[in-house]
């Protein structure tokens, strides 16, 4: 995965607000990465409506 790539939100690990749940199955664009702990990477995804939030790599997949 790289910045600018299109991804689809496939699953959610944790409890999240309804605004995030509504994005399940939608396609967004990777805007940034960050280390969230010693073994995980967070991915900032922005959707068409300009809503953006962080996800774990295993919650998203590259869109075709």
């Amino acid at each position: 995965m790289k910045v600018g790539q299109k991804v689809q939100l496939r699953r959610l690990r944790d409890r999240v607000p309804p605004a995030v749940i509504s994005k399940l199955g939608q396609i967004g664009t990777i805007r940034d990465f960050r280390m969230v702990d010693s073994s995980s990477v967070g991915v900032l995804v922005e959707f068409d409506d300009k809503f953006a939030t962080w996800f774990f790599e295993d919650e998203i997949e590259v869109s075709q």
Side-chain angles (χ1 to χ4, degrees):
M1 287 187 241
K2 58 186 175 183
V3 172
Q5 194 168 25
K6 297 286 187 185
V7 293
Q8 185 174 22
L9 180 58
R10 300 304 295 161
R11 72 193 246 344
L12 297 167
R13 276 192 193 182
D14 301 315
R15 290 184 177 207
V16 293
V20 177
I21 293 170
S22 71
K23 301 302 179 194
L24 271 171
Q26 291 192 22
I27 294 174
T29 305
I30 295 175
R31 294 295 179 212
D32 199 7
F33 294 93
R34 72 172 175 186
M35 291 299 295
V36 291
D37 61 31
S38 62
S39 63
S40 296
V41 175
V43 182
L44 178 63
V45 178
E46 181 180 17
F47 296 92
D48 289 340
D49 63 359
K50 302 301 180 199
F51 177 84
T53 193
W54 293 95
F55 297 102
F56 291 103
E57 287 182 299
D58 65 342
E59 294 177 311
I60 59 175
E61 67 181 26
V62 176
S63 178
Q64 312 249 331

